[in-house]
């Protein structure tokens, strides 16, 4: 599409030379009309042909005015209108209502669905023009009678400046399309009016004032609608009214006037007359039909044609910061050359910029630094201070030296690049949750948001329950929090210990400044973990206490039975729980309480067996005492069973999550027995020796039985452990294999979602005359870097189908070499690309091929979206007639990605300099300036960007870079993070930091 400037240049006015006497305002109406008639409007077809656009006439005037000639299409429109009026008066009221309802739906569907579908195809693929060209309606040689008939229809509707033979195909096709639109619009309008009239009634129970307001409001809406339509037509003229911009260009449409009142006024407020009629006729049926008809309007062409295509991650400097930086440099330059400051500059050897060394207002060197925002404040303070001191006759050398140091600091800051809106946006916004969009349950705020939404929803959806049902609900609620706290958070914490799951998650999905070296991800992961862990612990206790309260009944007589004993023991267990928890926190502190050693490696952590840990290795076991205490107080078996489940869950957490991590960190420094266990074992051994001394002659037998029993338990334990380890060792490869096979099946499931259509005439084609071959890469091999275009040469007989196509498939994806049974997933190109419109063949006639050759050959190129963006081995398949019959095959071809020999900044950046341009389709307006050929660096300068900055046209390109980084460096980064960085240096640093943090 041409630019706005070039389009506006198509619209010109011819002006005759005016004398000074002629410059007075014109008051003569005839002179004004003469000037309007002198206006010349030029149009331009998509092929570049420029033509003069003739004058068009109003459809209502041309149709109903008796002086205008009537075409066959006009007579058809008048006949349809007359038929509607006749049926309205001839049919009974009920039959009329039903008929005109169906009749209006027909014309409304013809407008919204029919015209919408046709215009969409014309807007995207120029379908109407190509169909007219294909059917030869305007071709004098192919269909002269049709052409002459169309000529008569169009010429009678136009003025003297219209010449059917001199105007291009696109304009005549638009005029023909306009005739069809007129038929639909007029019949649609009259059908709605007659339908509304057939539904007319006077609502009962309303006062006269309401009826008057109803009529006045209806007439006002109709009058407002008439004004909107008239003003909109004055703005867009017939060219925009009949969607002429999908056929040819006639200068850029300026959507002002009524278009500033509402978006798309012809389709929004321009249908106010619907509701005006609904008010007048007083029918809810008319109102609902009006709402349905109004809601059916969609017009995506305006945004496609006149919307501006803006690249992602474009760094445009903020004007305020830009001017402040330039102002700082100007002040430094002015002060540095001040006569009173020159001596100080020389004495302290301050570098003063020359007249040619200052940076211009468009020069930028890199990302914005944090000190940039401090420049303005320091500039104002320093400016006032320096002016006072320079103006004072008592300015000392020491004060001047202080000012010199200050100005030197500002000089360094003034050379920082200006802050861009892109960087500022990603500094303050990082995939924030909007309602439920971008929600992440690993963020504490989002997790709490889900709970806040879920609890009231559950309370509304759950019906009224009996006492037993209520107890079951409270039990399920407490059980859910117990299992989540122990198993849910336990699995997350174990994944963090083994693979740094949480830190990896935040590194992958969120953008952090470069100068943090990944510490921001660790801090955010740990901060969110602390909040979620504390919330889960509180909800576990709260839900259990609520269940206890629901099952508890205050005893009538505390002295009967064991009521007092149960309560006493329960309170003691709760007190023991509180004491052990406080003692544990006193030893662990915040770092141990929130499992800080799972996240922070630089934090000084060492084992200290003090406090309660002097006696117990895992005092957390005692934290379950409160649950058993509550169970004793309530006297409920349900509560007791939950306490047992909670105790077992906590034991699993300690044995499978915490203890393995402790052994991983501290190794042999972990003690095997705590003080309490040592004392118990010591007492047990002492009692055993005492028992042996008293046993006398039976002592050897007792020792033997004890050893056998102990040996039996040890043997059972060892055998069970060995069997479990052997099972895990044997099942691990199989599980990995199953997981890998599952991944392959999931990948193939997308490929196999295709019905293999085969041709019936395949026997009439000789497959030996088809040939397809891969052109070697620049390295001379069949190895292509990820994103590198792949050129294919093909040869086929002259009689081959114009719908033949070539696809790329993974090696092994298709078992047959005769028929392809998997989808290409978009990795295909037509053999005759110029004869296809997207993925739709045009069915054009093949061009005449001079010569005696019985074959045809050519080349196709796989590039951009048609390339495979995953490394592996692929094969090329030539298919027949848009079907899946394989006529030729070549391969395999290997798609690889360059990986650095060693992970350092230079190697990673070098790899990215090769990967990123290929993922950006080698578009010079997108790729970094540092990656451009030496001769093209100035071809498309990007204002406000550093040499390593790059941009995107769509998020799909960011997804390519994300996938390429994962394959090349083993680091997962979401496309949002790629867009936020959009800089080779930033990406290289992020990759290195991620590998450093995530390495074991």
């Amino acid at each position: 599409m041409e630019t706005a400037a070039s389009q506006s240049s198509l619209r010109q006015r011819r002006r005759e030379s005016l004398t000074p006497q002629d410059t007075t305002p014109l008051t003569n109406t005839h002179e004004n009309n003469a000037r309007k008639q002198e206006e010349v409007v030029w149009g331009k077809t998509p092929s570049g042909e420029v033509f003069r656009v003739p004058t068009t006439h109003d459809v209502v005037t041309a149709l109903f005015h008796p002086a205008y000639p009537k075409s066959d299409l006009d007579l058809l429109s008048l006949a349809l209108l007359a038929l509607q009026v006749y049926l309205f008066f001839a049919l009974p009221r009920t039959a009329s209502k039903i008929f005109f309802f169906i009749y209006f739906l027909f014309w409304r569907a013809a407008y919204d669905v029919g015209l919408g579908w046709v215009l969409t195809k014309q807007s995207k693929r120029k379908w109407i023009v190509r169909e007219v060209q294909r059917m030869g309606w305007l071709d004098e040689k192919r269909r002269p009678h049709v052409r002459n008939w169309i000529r008569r229809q169009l010429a009678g509707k136009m003025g003297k400046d219209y010449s059917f033979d001199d105007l291009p195909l696109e304009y005549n096709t638009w005029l023909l399309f306009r005739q069809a639109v007129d038929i639909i619009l007029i019949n649609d309008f009259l059908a709605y009016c007659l339908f509304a009239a057939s539904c007319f009634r006077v609502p009962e129970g309303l006062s006269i004032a309401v009826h008057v307001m109803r009529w006045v409001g209806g007439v006002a809406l109709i009058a407002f609608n008439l004004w909107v339509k008239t003003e909109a037509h004055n703005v867009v003229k017939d060219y925009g009214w009949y969607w002429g911009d999908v056929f040819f260009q006639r200068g850029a449409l300026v959507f002002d006037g009524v278009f500033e009142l509402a978006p798309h006024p012809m389709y929004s407020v321009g249908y106010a007359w619907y509701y005006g009629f609904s008010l007048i006729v007083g029918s809810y049926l008319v109102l609902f039909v009006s709402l349905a008809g109004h809601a059916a309007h969609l017009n995506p062409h305006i945004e496609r044609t006149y919307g501006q295509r803006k690249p992602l991650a474009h760094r445009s400097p903020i004007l305020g910061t830009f001017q402040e930086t330039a102002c700082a440099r100007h002040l430094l330059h002015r002060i540095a050359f001040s006569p009173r400051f020159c001596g100080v500059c020389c004495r302290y050897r301050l570098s003063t910029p020359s007249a040619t060394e200052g940076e211009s207002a468009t020069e930028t060197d890199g990302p914005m630094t944090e000190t940039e925002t401090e420049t303005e404040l320091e500039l104002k303070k320093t400016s006032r201070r320096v002016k006072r001191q320079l103006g004072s006759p008592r300015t000392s050398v020491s004060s001047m030296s202080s000012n010199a140091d200050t100005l030197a600091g500002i000089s360094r800051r003034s050379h920082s690049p200006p802050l861009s809106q892109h960087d500022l946006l990603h500094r303050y916004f990082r995939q924030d949750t909007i309602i439920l969009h971008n929600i992440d349950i690993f963020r504490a705020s989002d997790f709490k948001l889900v709970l806040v939404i879920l609890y009231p929803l559950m309370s509304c959806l759950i019906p009224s329950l009996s006492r037993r049902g209520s107890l079951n609900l409270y039990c399920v609620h407490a059980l859910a929090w117990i299992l989540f706290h122990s198993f849910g958070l336990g699995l997350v914490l174990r994944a963090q210990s083994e693979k740094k799951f949480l830190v990896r998650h935040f590194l992958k999905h969120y953008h952090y400044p470069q100068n943090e070296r990944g510490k921001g991800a660790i801090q955010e992961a740990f901060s969110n973990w602390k909040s979620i862990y504390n919330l889960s612990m509180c909800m576990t206790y709260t839900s259990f206490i609520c269940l206890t309260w629901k099952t508890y009944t205050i005893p009538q007589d505390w002295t009967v039975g064991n009521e007092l004993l149960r309560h006493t023991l329960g309170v003691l267990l709760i007190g023991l729980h509180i004491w052990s928890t406080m003692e544990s926190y006193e030893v662990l502190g915040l770092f141990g309480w929130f499992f800080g050693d799972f996240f922070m490696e630089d934090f000084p952590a060492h084992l200290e067996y003090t406090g309660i840990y002097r006696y117990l290795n895992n005092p957390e076991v005692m934290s379950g005492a409160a649950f058993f205490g509550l169970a004793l107080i309530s006297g409920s078996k349900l509560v007791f069973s939950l306490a047992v489940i909670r105790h077992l869950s906590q034991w699993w957490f300690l044995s499978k999550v915490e203890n393995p991590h402790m052994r991983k960190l501290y190794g042999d420094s972990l003690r095997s027995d705590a003080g309490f266990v040592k004392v118990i074992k010591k007492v047990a051994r002492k009692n055993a020796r005492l028992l042996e001394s008293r046993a006398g002659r039976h002592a050897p037998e007792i020792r033997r039985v004890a050893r056998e029993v102990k040996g039996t338990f040890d043997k059972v334990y060892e055998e069970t452990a060995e069997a479990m380890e052997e099972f895990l060792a044997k099942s691990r490869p199989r599980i990995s294999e199953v997981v890998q096979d599952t991944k392959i099946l999931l990948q193939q499931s997308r490929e196999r979602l295709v019905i293999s259509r085969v041709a019936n005439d395949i026997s009439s084609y000789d497959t030996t005359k088809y040939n397809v071959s891969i052109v070697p890469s620049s390295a001379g091999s069949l190895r292509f870097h990820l994103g590198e275009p792949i050129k294919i040469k093909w040869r086929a007989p002259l009689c081959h189908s114009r719908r033949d196509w070539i696809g790329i498939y993974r090696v092994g994806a298709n078992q047959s070499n005769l028929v392809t049974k998997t989808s290409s997933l978009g990795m295909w190109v037509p053999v005759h690309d110029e004869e296809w419109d997207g993925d739709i063949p045009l069915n054009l006639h093949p061009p005449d091929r001079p010569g005696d050759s019985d074959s045809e050959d050519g080349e196709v190129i796989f590039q951009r979206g048609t390339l495979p963006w995953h490394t592996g081995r692929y094969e090329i398949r030539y298919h027949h007639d848009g079907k899946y019959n394989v006529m030729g095959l070549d391969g395999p071809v290997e798609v690889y990605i360059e990986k650095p020999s060693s992970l350092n900044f230079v190697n990673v950046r070098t790899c990215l300099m090769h990967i990123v341009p290929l993922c950006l389709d080698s578009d010079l307006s997108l790729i970094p300036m540092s990656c451009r050929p030496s001769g093209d660096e100035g071809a498309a300068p990007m204002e406000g960007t550093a040499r390593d900055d790059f941009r995107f046209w769509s998020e799909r390109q960011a997804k390519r870079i994300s996938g390429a980084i994962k394959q090349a460096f083993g680091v997962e980064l979401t496309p949002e993070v790629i867009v936020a960085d959009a800089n080779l240096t930033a990406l290289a640093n992020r990759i290195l930091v991620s590998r450093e943090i995530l390495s074991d």
Side-chain angles (χ1 to χ4, degrees), residues 103 117 179 316 349 475 508 612 633 638 718 743-744 818 894 896 911 919 970:
Y103 196 68
W117 180 76
Q179 297 286 322
S316 55
R349 298 187 179 182
C475 178
K508 175 183 177 181
I612 193 174
I633 292 175
L638 185 63
E718 291 175 0
K743 291 181 179 179
I744 295 176
L818 300 178
E894 181 182 359
Y896 72 98
C911 288
C919 293

Side-chain angles (χ1 to χ4, degrees), residues 231-529:
E231 290 297 317
H233 186 271
N234 291 336
V235 172
V236 299
K237 302 297 189 297
D238 284 351
Y239 171 71
W241 191 270
Y242 292 98
W243 303 282
D245 48 358
V246 303
F247 293 86
F248 63 93
Q249 298 176 17
R250 199 212 65 172
L253 289 178
V254 180
F255 295 101
D256 55 4
V258 72
F259 283 86
E260 298 177 349
L261 175 67
H264 308 306
M266 293 189 298
Y267 305 105
S268 55
V269 295
Y271 275 81
W273 70 283
Y274 269 11
Y275 309 106
F277 264 94
S278 301
L279 281 175
I280 293 174
V281 301
S283 172
Y284 282 105
L285 178 61
V286 176
L287 175 62
F288 294 145
V289 170
S290 301
L291 289 171
H294 192 186
H297 279 290
L298 292 174
N299 189 13
H301 170 74
I302 292 180
E303 296 297 332
R304 180 182 301 110
T305 305
Y306 301 101
Q308 295 181 355
R309 187 186 183 191
K310 296 181 179 179
L312 302 176
H314 175 63
R315 285 183 166 91
S316 55
I318 298 177
L319 184 60
T321 307
F322 210 34
Q323 292 176 343
E324 291 162 9
T325 306
C327 181
R329 293 169 183 160
H330 176 70
L331 177 61
L332 290 173
H333 182 79
R334 184 161 55 88
I335 295 176
F337 281 94
S338 174
R340 300 190 180 188
F341 199 69
C342 287
V344 180
C345 292
C346 296
R347 180 173 299 181
Y348 290 93
R349 298 187 179 182
L350 293 177
S351 59
T352 57
S354 63
T356 59
E357 290 176 350
E359 295 184 14
S360 65
T362 59
E363 291 177 344
T364 55
D365 299 324
M368 171 65 186
T369 60
E370 295 180 357
T371 58
E372 178 67 21
T373 57
E374 303 171 3
T375 303
E376 180 184 10
L377 181 60
E378 294 191 15
L379 175 61
K380 293 179 180 178
K381 293 181 179 179
T382 306
S383 175
R384 291 193 296 265
R385 184 169 65 250
V386 171
K387 287 180 180 179
R388 288 196 302 266
Q389 293 180 355
L390 287 178
S392 174
R394 299 180 181 179
T395 303
S396 62
V397 176
S398 60
S399 63
M400 295 295 286
S401 63
S402 175
N403 290 332
D405 296 336
T406 304
L407 290 173
I410 298 179
S411 177
R412 289 189 297 269
R413 294 190 185 99
S414 65
H415 285 272
S416 327
L419 182 65
S420 68
Q421 184 176 0
H422 172 79
D423 296 323
L424 191 63
L425 179 68
H426 288 88
R427 176 184 296 181
Y428 291 101
F429 302 96
R430 295 189 305 114
Q431 298 191 53
D432 299 276
T433 303
I434 304 175
I435 306 179
L436 294 180
H437 180 63
N438 290 332
I439 198 163
D440 183 1
I441 60 172
F442 293 107
R443 287 192 296 195
S445 58
D446 292 356
F447 183 77
K448 295 175 183 178
L449 174 64
V450 172
L451 292 180
V452 169
I453 295 175
L454 187 61
Y455 271 89
L457 285 178
M458 294 298 295
S459 62
C460 294
L461 296 176
I462 296 176
S464 300
L465 301 174
S466 61
R467 174 174 173 77
R468 185 177 181 83
S470 177
L471 286 178
N472 292 332
L473 177 62
Y474 278 91
C475 178
V476 171
H477 180 238
L479 178 62
W481 278 110
I482 288 173
L483 297 179
F484 174 78
H485 185 70
S486 298
F487 292 99
L489 296 184
L491 291 174
V492 172
L493 200 59
R494 187 168 70 173
Q496 170 64 22
S497 174
E498 296 175 353
K499 301 178 181 178
K500 299 186 178 179
F501 170 77
L502 279 179
V503 177
R504 188 187 299 270
H505 173 81
F506 282 91
L507 276 175
K508 175 183 177 181
H509 290 89
Y510 303 102
H511 173 264
Y512 299 95
Q514 299 181 44
N515 53 5
E516 292 184 357
R517 301 295 299 172
K519 293 182 180 180
I522 299 176
Q523 293 173 2
E524 187 170 6
F526 188 41
S527 176
N528 284 276
W529 160 261

Side-chain angles (χ1 to χ4, degrees), residues 1 44 52 62 68 77 111 223 246 366 376 460 583 598 639 675 715 741 776 797 828 833 861 929 937 974:
M1 186 175 63
K44 183 178 181 181
R52 180 173 178 174
Y68 282 83
S77 296
Y111 185 17
V246 303
E376 180 184 10
C460 294
E583 288 294 319
F598 282 76
V639 178
K715 185 177 181 180
D741 292 342
W828 69 277
D833 189 33
I861 299 178
M929 297 183 67
E937 288 196 10
T974 58

Side-chain angles (χ1 to χ4, degrees), residues 891-919:
V893 58
E894 181 182 359
V895 176
Y896 72 98
I897 192 167
E898 181 182 358
K899 298 182 179 181
S901 56
S902 59
L903 283 177
N904 55 61
F905 176 78
V906 175
N907 291 343
V908 172
R909 183 178 178 275
T910 302
C911 288
L912 289 176
M913 290 180 66
H914 192 193
I915 293 172
V916 170
L918 291 175
C919 293

Side-chain angles (χ1 to χ4, degrees), residues 928-1000:
M929 297 183 67
S930 57
C931 299
R932 301 182 184 182
S934 57
D936 294 337
E937 288 196 10
M942 294 179 291
E943 182 179 356
T945 59
R947 290 180 55 81
D948 279 356
D949 287 344
F950 55 88
R951 303 183 294 179
F952 314 87
W953 282 126
S954 66
E955 192 177 352
R956 181 181 301 176
Q957 294 173 325
K959 290 181 179 179
R960 295 176 188 171
I961 299 177
S962 175
I965 289 176
K966 181 180 179 181
Q967 297 176 76
F969 309 104
V971 174
E972 295 185 63
L973 299 175
T974 58
E976 291 78 10
V977 175
I978 304 295
V979 173
D981 274 338
N983 182 278
L984 295 180
T985 300
L987 272 182
N989 288 324
R990 187 174 301 279
I991 292 171
L992 292 174
V993 169
S994 300
R995 288 296 300 266
E996 179 182 353
I997 293 177
L998 301 178
S999 61
D1000 295 330

